Amino acid sequence: MDFKKVFLLCLLAFCFSFNLYSQVFDPVKWETKVEKVSDTEYDLISTATIDAGWHLYSQNVPENGPIPTGFSFTENDSFELVGETTEDEGEIVDDPVFEMKIKFFDHKAEFVQRIKVLNNELSLVEGEVEFMVCDDQRCLPPTFIDLQFNIKDAKGVEDDAPQLSLGLPSSTNVVGGTPRILEPVKWSTSVEKISDSEFVLVTSATIDNGWKLYSQSVDEGGPIPTSFEYTLKDGVELDGNTVEEKGEKSLDKVFDMEIKYFKTKTNFRQKIKVVNVDIASVTGEVSFMACDDVECLAPTYVDLNFDLTSTTAETKGIDDKYESGTADSEEEDSSRGLWSIFIIAFLSGFVALLTPCVFPMIPMTVSFFIKQSQSKARGIRNAVIYGLSIVVIYVLLGTIITAIFGADALNALATNVWFNVIFFILLVVFAISFLGAFEIVLPNSWANKADKQADRGGLLGIFFMALALAIVSFSCTGPIVGTILVEAASKGGVAPVIGMLGFSSAIALPFALFAAFPGWLNSLPKSGGWLNTVKVVLGFLELALAFKFLSQADLVLQLHFLEREVFIAIWIAIFGTLSLYLFGKIQLPHDSPLKHISVGRLLLGLLTLTFTIYMIPGLWGAPLKIISAFPPPLDYSESPYGVGNSRGGGAASTTDIPEGAHLLAPHDILAFNDYETGLAYAKKVGKPVMLDFTGWACVNCRKMEQNVWVDPSVLSHLKNDIVLISLYVDEQIDFPEGEAPDSKLRPGKKLRNVGQKWSEFQTIRYKTNTQPYYVLMDHNEENLNEPTAYTPNIDEYDAWLKEGIGNFKD
């Protein structure tokens, strides 16, 4: 412990105690209130009003600093705490007394603790706050204040929900349920002036406690990312992309991916250049999705207006701040991806060494340098320079690729449907080349010119020797290099450069090592047919990887050509054939006669055969966690439970599926995605309707389907007693050209897609805009009971279904 800091703290408190004769200080006033989040969750809000000049410290203070603010609650069986107590953003200063950065609050601070009520009779929650405050001259000793939160007086979040910002008509009638138009993200704009022609458009998001706003960069299959569109007049152009703050990251178990998001507050910055001085404003639009632990908003669109005549004063260095902020953010987001690219490329380089185009060159080249050099030291030096030249050549290739396409454009290309198809075709061509159908070679004239330059000797001659190696060995290394560049493109930025650095380092390393230790050359295995075997194995792996890219394109377009069973069947065929090849049952054009199987080849064959057998249960619904990142998800399948399999609860056979319906994966529930079609079918079969307002990127919708709908009683009701209409509020299907309906919530604008149609339908008809949201109704479109939202308790959800179905029968 730092006794100096403790002494200073005690001295301040001691000195202050002498002033008690004349004055008693009470610089912090505490108030409490309760907000109802859902039927079972409440926010206990403690608000501190702080006198001018005084500082209240954060809950998180470094060791040996001032006493942090701390909350404790008298817990009992009637409620439980949900997460930690959150606090406002506050300010951070470098405190000269404690010699550390300390976060504090002035004027006002709000602390929020969410609880889950387990007993509906709960009326009061008690707690205590411990805190310490200081001004520039003194500190108060630690103070304890009792807190009381009256649950019965809780004000629902929906009571304060803004409606005008969503354009909801004031005459809208609510069809059942409690009005709940949520607006957890508030947007504001400002403009920073860099120079007379350069500005930064700043879009600020203030996010309600407990909610998350997602990043602009979210992997495919995750929640809807935040995105910006700017309407540019002549004379205005964008400079770079919209950049964002670092935010937070966590592993989402539902989407099975790491997702970046923002809490409390964040800024997005877009640099522009204005060459027309008469332009006074720029308009735009932000689309976003926000979720909390209970529900998600449908994709939301908000208009933005940036007034270029009202800017902050031109500040020296603001441009530097903008650039450095961009670099820091990108470095934080991509560092892990760049390391993975480097490691994969480095290992791929070692594999490339074992191909017939490169491996025989190692002893030949090293021996050449040693024999042609006047001393061993000079031979080692030349070999090292040779290796470094190889690195320079391949890194230069990665740099050229990045320069041509742009650091950010590569990522956009890699996520584009047609480029995924192109990547698929490239990898198939590479695979066929490795299997021996043909060789991919560069023009012979290139190799001849490089050889002539190599004859010049010196450092330049050594460089051209390395270039000649790269050209001559291209038939073996080209497909590997191409695959690395394709995979690196999915990371964007400088990933191609990093990939080539890893690959070339592995290629170059043996030349330097064997030159330094020439005796090791005697331990190298002799060239032979095994080198071609390496090429063939690589061909099979390239072929398997190719279908990953084709699958991504199929998923985006929702063509259902390459569904999960088809993908797994293709991989079983590829790796099964590879097993037969390794066991010597299949011969390819360039293979040497196989008199016996080596131990290494046998072990590799057993490994691929085991992997093949492991994948077979995937056809019958097994999750195949080892390869979960490669095949399509379980719900993108002809039969979610596997080929020829259907699970209980009266699942319909494919021949019984009416027009406009489908079996909802993974439970085989008969479902419609169109309101009118589903309602007509319900009238025909005499069953009530359940509207399921959901989304492809709705976390809690998936939780309900995976954890609640699987219950036998619930599943039986969904399959046998109701007609399910699932309306996806983030469905990206566009309307036919010229047929887009007018938006009722944003007058003067057209609906963008089918998802926005269902989102507006939910907002206007039920005056709520969150998912999941469930409505049971009869054939007259009247509610059978109170609609419900996220209900993780199976018994509660089952009772809700039974109530509505029972009311329909009555």
Side-chain angles (χ1 to χ4, degrees):
M1 178 177 289
D2 192 331
F3 288 99
K4 177 185 174 183
K5 294 175 182 176
V6 175
F7 173 75
L8 288 171
L9 183 62
C10 294
L11 181 62
L12 287 171
F14 179 73
C15 293
F16 175 75
S17 65
F18 282 95
N19 293 328
L20 293 178
Y21 293 109
S22 59
Q23 188 174 8
V24 175
F25 289 93
D26 185 19
V28 182
K29 311 296 189 298
W30 290 91
E31 295 179 352
T32 63
K33 65 177 180 178
V34 181
E35 283 188 356
K36 184 177 181 180
V37 179
S38 67
D39 291 339
T40 59
E41 291 190 313
Y42 296 79
D43 282 340
L44 310 182
I45 302 175
S46 305
T47 303
T49 303
I50 309 158
D51 288 352
W54 289 86
H55 301 295
L56 171 69
Y57 292 102
S58 165
Q59 300 175 93
N60 302 306
V61 173
E63 189 178 353
N64 299 326
I67 302 297
T69 301
F71 290 85
S72 60
F73 299 89
T74 306
E75 296 189 56
N76 53 54
D77 295 336
S78 297
F79 74 96
E80 61 183 22
L81 302 180
V82 179
E84 303 291 334
T85 303
T86 61
E87 63 187 25
D88 288 338
E89 190 172 354
E91 299 180 36
I92 298 177
V93 296
D94 200 348
D95 193 286
V97 175
F98 294 101
E99 298 178 0
M100 62 177 65
K101 290 187 180 295
I102 299 177
K103 177 181 175 181
F104 66 85
F105 309 97
D106 52 15
H107 303 301
K108 195 171 185 179
E110 189 173 272
F111 302 85
V112 181
Q113 174 63 60
R114 181 162 293 186
I115 65 168
K116 182 176 182 180
V117 175
L118 307 176
N119 182 355
N120 292 331
E121 300 301 321
L122 177 68
S123 61
L124 189 69
V125 174
E126 296 182 336
E128 182 182 71
V129 57
E130 175 189 7
F131 63 97
M132 175 179 177
V133 287
C134 298
D135 65 5
D136 294 336
Q137 298 177 342
R138 57 210 155 188
C139 290
L140 288 182
T143 306
F144 299 85
I145 297 292
D146 292 329
L147 305 172
Q148 289 188 338
F149 304 88
N150 194 334
I151 303 298
K152 297 301 182 183
D153 291 340
K155 189 176 183 181
V157 177
E158 62 271 13
D159 297 335
D160 292 328
Q163 297 176 14
L164 294 178
S165 60
L166 291 172
L168 186 67
S170 58
S171 60
T172 300
N173 294 320
V174 182
V175 183
T178 305
R180 272 187 95 240
I181 302 298
L182 299 187
E183 191 181 14
V185 183
K186 315 295 190 302
W187 295 90
S188 61
T189 61
S190 61
V191 179
E192 295 174 355
K193 185 176 181 180
I194 299 173
S195 66
D196 290 339
S197 61
E198 292 182 306
F199 299 83
V200 176
L201 310 181
V202 182
T203 307
S204 300
T206 302
I207 308 157
D208 287 353
N209 180 64
W211 286 81
K212 298 177 182 177
L213 173 69
Y214 293 103
S215 164
Q216 299 176 96
S217 302
V218 176
D219 290 341
E220 186 178 323
I224 302 297
T226 300
S227 64
F228 293 85
E229 289 186 8
Y230 302 92
T231 304
L232 302 178
K233 302 175 183 177
D234 291 338
V236 180
E237 61 182 33
L238 301 181
D239 185 356
N241 295 321
T242 302
V243 297
E244 60 188 29
E245 296 177 356
K246 291 183 179 180
E248 302 178 34
K249 280 187 176 181
S250 63
L251 179 63
D252 191 288
K253 294 182 180 179
V254 174
F255 290 110
D256 192 25
M257 65 175 67
E258 195 172 60
I259 298 176
K260 177 182 175 183
Y261 58 87
F262 307 99
K263 286 185 173 182
T264 311
K265 193 171 184 180
T266 191
N267 292 323
F268 300 86
R269 299 161 63 85
Q270 174 63 59
K271 190 176 179 182
I272 63 169
K273 292 183 178 179
V274 180
V275 296
N276 184 349
V277 295
D278 295 328
I279 294 177
S281 65
V282 173
T283 58
E285 182 182 73
V286 56
S287 62
F288 65 97
M289 176 178 180
C291 296
D292 65 1
D293 293 335
V294 177
E295 53 206 348
C296 290
L297 290 183
T300 306
Y301 305 87
V302 172
D303 293 327
L304 305 172
N305 184 68
F306 303 90
D307 186 357
L308 301 183
T309 64
S310 177
T311 64
T312 57
E314 183 175 353
T315 305
K316 184 177 181 180
I318 194 168
D319 191 39
D320 295 336
K321 176 182 176 183
Y322 179 88
E323 293 297 337
S324 65
T326 305
D328 291 344
S329 177
E330 290 180 352
E331 181 179 354
E332 178 75 16
D333 293 340
S334 63
S335 59
R336 185 177 302 178
L338 293 179
W339 271 111
S340 65
I341 284 291
F342 179 85
I343 293 172
I344 292 172
F346 189 79
L347 296 176
S348 300
F350 276 123
V351 174
L353 283 171
L354 303 179
T355 59
C357 308
V358 181
F359 186 80
M361 299 294 292
I362 297 174
M364 293 170 55
T365 306
V366 172
S367 298
F368 171 81
F369 283 127
I370 293 175
K371 292 177 181 178
Q372 296 297 318
S373 302
Q374 298 175 353
S375 65
K376 180 180 179 181
R378 190 174 183 83
I380 294 174
R381 191 204 70 167
N382 290 342
V384 170
I385 294 173
Y386 181 75
L388 291 175
S389 299
I390 293 174
V391 173
V392 169
I393 290 167
Y394 282 102
V395 169
L396 187 61
L397 173 63
T399 303
I400 292 172
I401 294 295
T402 304
I404 291 175
F405 291 101
D408 297 312
L410 282 170
N411 181 260
L413 293 179
T415 55
N416 179 277
V417 170
W418 299 113
F419 273 87
N420 271 287
V421 173
I422 292 172
F423 292 160
F424 164 74
I425 295 172
L426 281 175
L427 292 181
V428 169
V429 171
F430 292 159
I432 295 174
S433 171
F434 270 153
L435 292 175
F438 54 83
E439 287 190 352
I440 302 174
V441 295
L442 296 176
N444 289 330
S445 60
W446 293 14
N448 294 333
K449 290 180 181 179
D451 282 337
K452 290 180 180 179
Q453 294 295 328
D455 293 337
R456 297 170 58 179
L459 296 180
L460 190 61
I462 294 175
F463 176 82
F464 278 101
M465 284 184 64
L467 180 60
L469 172 69
I471 295 173
V472 171
S473 64
F474 186 78
S475 61
C476 293
T477 59
I480 301 176
V481 169
T483 303
I484 294 172
L485 290 174
V486 166
E487 194 64 28
S490 66
K491 304 295 181 184
V494 296
V497 178
I498 299 299
M500 291 299 93
L501 176 62
F503 177 82
S504 58
S505 297
I507 292 285
L509 189 60
F511 291 96
L513 289 178
F514 283 111
F517 306 99
W520 290 2
L521 291 172
N522 298 325
S523 62
L524 280 179
K526 294 182 179 180
S527 301
W530 65 273
L531 292 174
N532 187 68
T533 301
V534 172
K535 277 187 64 177
V536 172
V537 171
L538 287 175
F540 278 106
L541 295 178
E542 295 251 3
L543 191 59
L545 182 62
F547 283 94
K548 171 179 178 266
F549 291 95
L550 185 62
S551 172
Q552 288 176 342
D554 185 65
L555 270 170
V556 173
L557 295 175
Q558 291 287 301
L559 298 176
H560 290 268
F561 290 152
L562 195 60
E563 292 178 318
R564 184 178 177 87
E565 295 92 343
V566 178
F567 184 97
I568 293 173
I570 290 172
W571 268 38
I572 290 173
I574 291 173
F575 286 95
T577 305
L578 174 57
S579 300
L580 293 175
Y581 172 79
L582 291 171
F583 289 136
K585 303 301 181 182
I586 296 175
Q587 291 275 306
L588 290 175
H590 300 294
D591 286 330
S592 302
L594 188 64
K595 298 179 180 179
H596 64 274
I597 298 176
S598 66
V599 173
R601 183 165 180 160
L602 175 63
L603 292 176
L604 183 59
L606 290 173
L607 180 63
T608 56
L609 180 60
T610 301
F611 181 63
T612 303
I613 296 172
Y614 165 78
M615 289 190 292
I616 292 175
L619 297 173
W620 281 267
L624 304 181
K625 293 182 179 180
I626 294 177
I627 60 169
S628 59
F630 291 92
L634 282 165
D635 58 354
Y636 195 75
S637 171
E638 291 183 15
S639 178
Y641 297 118
V643 177
N645 191 7
S646 176
R647 294 189 181 175
S653 67
T654 55
T655 57
D656 298 329
I657 298 177
E659 185 177 354
H662 66 281
L663 293 180
L664 180 66
H667 311 298
D668 285 350
I669 304 169
L670 187 69
F672 292 83
N673 291 137
D674 180 78
Y675 180 80
E676 297 295 340
T677 306
L679 181 59
Y681 179 76
K683 293 178 180 179
K684 178 180 177 181
V685 298
K687 294 181 181 180
V689 168
M690 187 177 95
L691 295 182
D692 166 29
F693 289 98
T694 183
W696 296 110
C698 173
V699 178
N700 293 304
C701 302
R702 301 294 85 77
K703 288 181 180 178
M704 288 292 293
E705 294 163 8
Q706 295 170 11
N707 302 326
V708 178
W709 287 15
V710 295
D711 176 76
S713 178
V714 172
L715 193 56
S716 178
H717 290 312
L718 295 176
K719 287 186 174 183
N720 302 315
D721 301 329
I722 58 100
V723 172
L724 177 65
I725 303 177
S726 294
L727 303 178
Y728 288 85
V729 299
D730 56 0
E731 183 67 78
Q732 299 298 306
I733 298 176
D734 295 331
F735 295 102
E737 187 173 352
E739 297 182 18
D742 293 329
S743 171
K744 296 179 181 178
L745 298 183
R746 305 175 72 200
K749 294 185 178 291
K750 296 287 186 179
L751 295 181
R752 289 170 170 258
N753 48 51
V754 173
Q756 197 176 6
K757 171 185 175 182
W758 300 132
S759 176
E760 287 204 353
F761 173 72
Q762 179 191 6
T763 303
I764 295 172
R765 186 177 178 85
Y766 296 101
K767 211 171 182 183
T768 186
N769 62 336
T770 62
Q771 295 77 47
Y773 191 74
Y774 307 105
V775 180
L776 283 171
M777 68 180 196
D778 60 21
H779 299 158
N780 296 320
E781 303 178 64
E782 298 290 337
N783 288 0
L784 295 169
N785 57 357
E786 190 79 8
T788 190
Y790 179 64
T791 311
N793 186 293
I794 294 175
D795 293 335
E796 288 183 16
Y797 193 78
D798 188 46
W800 176 79
L801 284 172
K802 289 178 180 177
E803 178 190 17
I805 294 169
N807 291 339
F808 177 80
K809 292 179 179 179
D810 293 340

